[in-house]
């Protein structure tokens, strides 16, 4: 990895740092400006053309330790997109003097930590209502149990769903980005934890009324839930196999021998399709309005994510299957 050899001055230069990289077959100069104020923050003299953005970030951190690499966003334009860590300087549309614009992404936290926090909360919160701990429904209902089978079945499904998510976070998912802004964890936890408490309050309430069509409705909804959970897990495994450990390689996902992955023939993000299907099944099973609203909000957000990923696939791969839609076959 390139390393700083020392401070290099420049006539009229008044920024906070000047670092050098080894001179190989050619030299470049990189100046880093604040994207908001245009203030010159750093000047890198004699930069090798093969240097990556990640290496430049590491050098920038040496003189600005408060901005560790995960906090940094380097761009070619103040309002443009962030450059990728693996981007190579000589392959960027810059001359021998490159100007990069810096934005502080704020304090960062690992995606694994975020997911574990997001998913452990609903699991724990729901069980508080299921076991009717004191101060929720009144003293006479403390630690009592519902007489309705669907209530116990709903608790099992909800718990298994979040246990599955926790295990996938630890052993299945491979993240293209290691961190996310710390502030997002508060927003995400408010969403997951808040909805978990809201739906759990009504489903486990002593006055809860079972679904209108009884056991038939519950069985149908349970089948939808289980099928979609298996489908979601199958897609996550298929996506995991596309990216070797420690790699950021992106490939077009295709169906495998697993029938649950055949949905890739029609949509770009079948994991979201199955996820929405699971919550629709759970809403039918419990016939609970908060669950339906949670499903709707989740569907809206996942549609946004799916459209973004679909556009990314189309832009990156010229041979991307033309029949695929982002999340709903033939529609959306």
């Amino acid at each position: 990895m390139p390393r700083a050899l020392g401070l290099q001055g420049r006539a009229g230069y008044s920024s906070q740092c000047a670092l050098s990289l080894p001179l190989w077959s050619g030299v470049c100069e990189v100046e880093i400006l604040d994207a908001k104020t245009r203030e010159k923050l750093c000047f890198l003299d004699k930069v090798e053309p093969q240097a990556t953005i990640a290496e430049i970030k590491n050098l920038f951190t040496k003189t600005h330790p408060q901005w560790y690499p995960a906090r940094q966003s380097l761009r070619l334009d103040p309002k443009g997109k962030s450059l990728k860590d693996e981007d190579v300087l000589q392959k960027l549309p810059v001359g021998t003097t490159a100007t990069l614009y810096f934005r502080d992404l704020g304090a960062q936290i690992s995606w694994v930590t975020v997911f574990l926090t997001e998913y452990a909360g609903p699991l724990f919160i729901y069980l508080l209502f299921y076991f009717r701990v004191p101060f929720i429904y009144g003293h006479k209902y403390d630690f009592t149990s519902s007489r309705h089978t669907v209530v116990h079945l709903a608790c099992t499904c909800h718990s298994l769903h979040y246990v599955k998510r926790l295990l996938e976070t630890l052993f299945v998912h491979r993240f293209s980005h290691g961190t996310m802004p710390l502030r997002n964890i508060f927003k995400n936890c408010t969403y997951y934890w808040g909805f978990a408490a809201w739906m759990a309050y009504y489903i486990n309430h002593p006055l809860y009324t079972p679904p209108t069509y009884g056991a038939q409705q519950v069985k149908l909804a349970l089948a939808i839930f289980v099928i979609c959970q298996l489908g979601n897990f199958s897609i996550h495994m298929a996506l995991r196999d596309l990216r070797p450990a420690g790699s950021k390689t992106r490939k077009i996902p295709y169906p495998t021998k697993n029938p649950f992955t055949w949905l890739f023939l029609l949509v770009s993000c079948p994991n979201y399709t199955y996820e929405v299907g699971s919550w629709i099944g759970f809403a039918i099973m419990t016939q609970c309005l908060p669950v339906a609203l949670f499903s709707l909000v989740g569907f809206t957000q996942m549609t946004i994510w799916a459209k973004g990923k679909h556009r990314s696939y189309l832009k990156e791969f010229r041979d991307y299957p033309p029949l695929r839609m982002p999340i709903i076959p033939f529609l959306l």
Side-chain angles (χ1 to χ4, degrees):
M1 175 182 291
R3 55 190 178 87
L5 294 182
L7 297 177
Q8 301 291 330
R10 175 186 248 194
Y13 175 62
S14 59
S15 70
Q16 299 177 28
C17 69
L19 297 174
S20 295
L21 289 171
L23 175 60
W24 287 6
S25 59
V27 295
C28 296
E29 297 175 340
V30 177
E31 60 177 2
I32 300 177
L33 309 183
D34 187 290
K36 294 182 179 179
T37 66
R38 306 298 193 275
E39 175 189 357
K40 187 175 290 185
L41 300 175
C42 189
F43 176 71
L44 306 177
D45 189 21
K46 298 181 180 178
V47 180
E48 56 172 294
Q50 294 80 16
T52 64
I53 294 299
E55 292 169 345
I56 293 174
K57 286 182 177 180
N58 287 328
L59 287 175
F60 186 50
T61 300
K62 292 180 182 296
T63 55
H64 295 79
Q66 73 274 25
W67 294 323
Y68 45 88
R71 283 189 74 146
Q72 299 176 33
S73 170
L74 297 182
R75 313 165 184 214
L76 293 175
D77 183 87
K79 297 182 179 180
K81 293 184 178 180
S82 298
L83 296 170
K84 299 178 180 179
D85 285 350
E86 58 269 24
D87 286 339
V88 178
L89 188 60
Q90 68 179 357
K91 295 183 179 180
L92 298 176
V94 296
T96 55
T97 299
T99 299
L100 301 180
Y101 295 90
F102 162 80
R103 279 186 178 271
D104 182 11
L105 298 177
Q108 300 289 300
I109 187 172
S110 73
W111 275 97
V112 172
T113 301
V114 172
F115 280 2
L116 292 179
T117 305
E118 286 178 3
Y119 302 152
L123 177 63
F124 177 72
I125 290 171
Y126 194 100
L127 292 176
L128 293 179
F129 288 87
Y130 175 73
F131 290 112
R132 296 178 179 173
V133 298
F135 307 109
I136 293 183
Y137 298 116
H139 292 301
K140 69 176 181 178
Y141 296 112
D142 291 350
F143 300 111
T144 59
S145 179
S146 174
R147 67 180 186 277
H148 304 300
T149 302
V150 66
V151 172
H152 307 298
L153 183 60
C155 180
T156 300
C157 290
H158 188 275
S159 299
L160 289 177
H161 171 76
Y162 281 104
V163 168
K164 166 184 165 292
R165 282 194 166 191
L166 290 169
L167 293 176
E168 286 176 340
T169 298
L170 292 173
F171 303 110
V172 177
H173 294 321
R174 287 173 178 164
F175 303 99
S176 57
H177 300 286
T179 63
M180 68 181 295
L182 177 62
R183 61 181 178 274
N184 285 2
I185 194 172
F186 301 103
K187 177 183 65 177
N188 294 1
C189 287
T190 298
Y191 167 71
Y192 282 106
W193 296 17
F195 265 112
W198 192 22
M199 66 176 70
Y201 176 82
Y202 284 100
I203 296 173
N204 297 287
H205 198 284
L207 301 180
Y208 170 77
T209 303
T212 303
Y213 298 99
Q216 290 183 339
Q217 180 174 335
V218 173
K219 290 178 181 179
L220 173 62
L222 177 61
I224 295 173
F225 181 86
V226 171
I227 290 173
C228 287
Q229 286 289 294
L230 291 173
N232 181 265
F233 175 74
S234 298
I235 298 301
H236 286 164
M237 290 299 297
L239 292 174
R240 177 184 183 275
D241 293 340
L242 283 180
R243 176 176 293 164
S247 170
K248 294 185 178 180
T249 302
R250 284 172 56 86
K251 300 178 182 178
I252 300 176
Y254 286 105
T256 65
K257 295 180 180 179
N258 184 340
F260 288 110
T261 66
W262 294 352
L263 196 54
F264 270 126
L265 294 171
L266 301 175
V267 295
S268 295
C269 302
N271 51 319
Y272 295 150
T273 309
Y274 283 124
E275 179 76 9
V276 173
S278 294
W279 287 109
I280 291 176
F282 195 76
I284 296 172
M285 179 195 306
T286 58
Q287 198 169 296
C288 180
L289 180 59
V291 181
L293 292 176
F294 178 71
S295 304
L296 178 61
V297 174
F299 170 69
T300 302
Q301 181 60 69
M302 282 184 274
T303 298
I304 295 173
W305 291 336
K307 286 183 175 180
K309 184 169 287 189
H310 184 72
R311 287 193 297 267
S312 179
Y313 280 141
L314 290 174
K315 183 178 180 180
E316 186 171 356
F317 303 107
R318 294 183 178 180
D319 57 341
Y320 193 71
L323 293 179
R324 291 187 187 179
M325 298 296 286
I327 189 171
I328 300 179
F330 310 114
L331 293 177
L332 182 65

